[in-house]
Amino acid sequence: MGYKELARNIKDGYNRLKKEPVFKYYNVTWNYKLRTAEISVKNDAEFKAIIIGNTRSVPESRGYMYLFYTNDRKVPFPSVKEIIRRLKSVADRRILVDKDAAYYDWEEYGSLEKQRVYFSEIIKREAKMDQVEEVNPVGEEMEFTEAMMKRADEVDNAVYRMCLTLLELENEKDYEERFPWNIGILEEIKESAIRILNKNQYKVCDPFIEDEEEGRKFCELDSCGLTECTRHS
């Protein structure tokens, strides 16, 4: 994915947390070896943040930082453009001087310089190259409509709750420790379920924006098989 897509995923994660009162963390990326997120979003009461690095207390931990954080509910979450700026700065190993960003030079994680190398590695791995600016034919950036986001949230939350039921997890502590939100796993399960339903002639609305050389376009009716769409123009 490019920096823009990574930033959008971070922003989407925050938007989903705003609508879901139970879950406080959204894992944007996941390190399967360490079994922990390395880019995540937190929205807990008045505290909201973008976290880069391994935040679990394990021997392999190499530290973490706040790409953004605030305890003031009046302070808005950063825009996609601002998140991109910060991601690129950290990827280039520059130090963020914004008052709402923070580094932690703890001895147990090694020097702050080594931690900055680690943060850069994470971001560069997830955003291997910048994507071409994504625009529609009239030059305006395309985003999910409110109805598209609501539908995507509805489907993702339904898949996650199904997983909790299958794993027999009953409380929030179990959720966070034994099956934290992992969008990669949920997408795989969702796509498999949609394929099975489509194979059996059932129609499913799964909103997306498709990238093309000349820009971006909304999913069309031939993608879902429905006869009309009210979720985007």
Side-chain angles (χ1 to χ4, degrees), residues 139-177:
E140 297 177 352
E141 186 174 335
M142 294 181 69
E143 300 286 355
F144 266 39
T145 65
E146 187 69 24
M148 291 172 73
M149 289 184 62
K150 183 177 180 180
R151 171 61 178 174
D153 290 341
E154 178 184 43
V155 174
D156 288 345
N157 287 323
V159 173
Y160 186 69
R161 288 192 173 89
M162 180 192 74
C163 292
L164 297 179
T165 300
L166 293 174
L167 295 171
E168 300 182 284
L169 304 180
E170 299 179 351
N171 56 62
E172 188 173 339
K173 184 178 180 180
D174 280 343
Y175 304 163
E176 295 178 354
E177 293 183 357

Side-chain angles (χ1 to χ4, degrees), residues 31-201:
N31 186 315
Y32 288 93
K33 180 181 178 181
L34 300 181
R35 296 175 59 83
T36 188
E38 287 191 302
I39 300 180
S40 59
V41 177
K42 183 172 184 179
N43 186 21
D44 186 1
E46 295 183 2
F47 182 75
K48 47 184 178 276
I50 303 170
I51 305 169
I52 309 293
N54 179 359
T55 60
R56 293 187 62 181
S57 180
V58 296
E60 295 88 348
S61 179
R62 294 169 62 188
Y64 71 94
M65 65 167 292
Y66 287 136
L67 193 73
F68 161 83
Y69 78 98
T70 182
N71 284 297
D72 187 348
R73 68 174 57 198
K74 295 180 180 178
V75 175
F77 197 80
S79 66
V80 170
K81 182 177 181 180
E82 174 61 16
I83 295 172
I84 291 173
R85 182 189 70 81
R86 297 185 184 215
L87 288 171
K88 287 183 176 181
S89 292
V90 175
D92 292 338
R93 300 183 189 176
R94 298 196 300 268
I95 299 177
L96 289 178
V97 296
D98 306 79
K99 63 181 181 180
D100 53 6
Y103 297 84
Y104 298 93
D105 190 6
W106 295 342
E107 291 184 3
E108 62 184 295
Y109 296 143
S111 69
L112 182 57
E113 182 178 353
K114 289 182 179 179
Q115 290 177 51
R116 293 210 313 273
V117 171
Y118 170 52
F119 304 146
S120 174
E121 289 173 353
I122 293 172
I123 295 172
K124 285 185 175 180
R125 183 180 67 237
E126 298 300 330
K128 295 181 178 63
M129 58 182 293
D130 287 330
Q131 294 177 325
V132 176
E133 189 73 14
E134 299 162 339
V135 296
N136 64 15
V138 295
E140 297 177 352
E141 186 174 335
M142 294 181 69
E143 300 286 355
F144 266 39
T145 65
E146 187 69 24
M148 291 172 73
M149 289 184 62
K150 183 177 180 180
R151 171 61 178 174
D153 290 341
E154 178 184 43
V155 174
D156 288 345
N157 287 323
V159 173
Y160 186 69
R161 288 192 173 89
M162 180 192 74
C163 292
L164 297 179
T165 300
L166 293 174
L167 295 171
E168 300 182 284
L169 304 180
E170 299 179 351
N171 56 62
E172 188 173 339
K173 184 178 180 180
D174 280 343
Y175 304 163
E176 295 178 354
E177 293 183 357
R178 295 176 56 192
F179 190 69
W181 183 282
N182 185 326
I183 195 62
I185 294 176
L186 300 182
E187 283 291 326
E188 188 174 351
I189 294 172
K190 180 183 73 175
E191 290 174 4
S192 178
I194 290 174
R195 282 196 302 270
I196 293 171
L197 289 169
N198 288 342
K199 182 180 178 181
N200 288 275
Q201 308 304 311

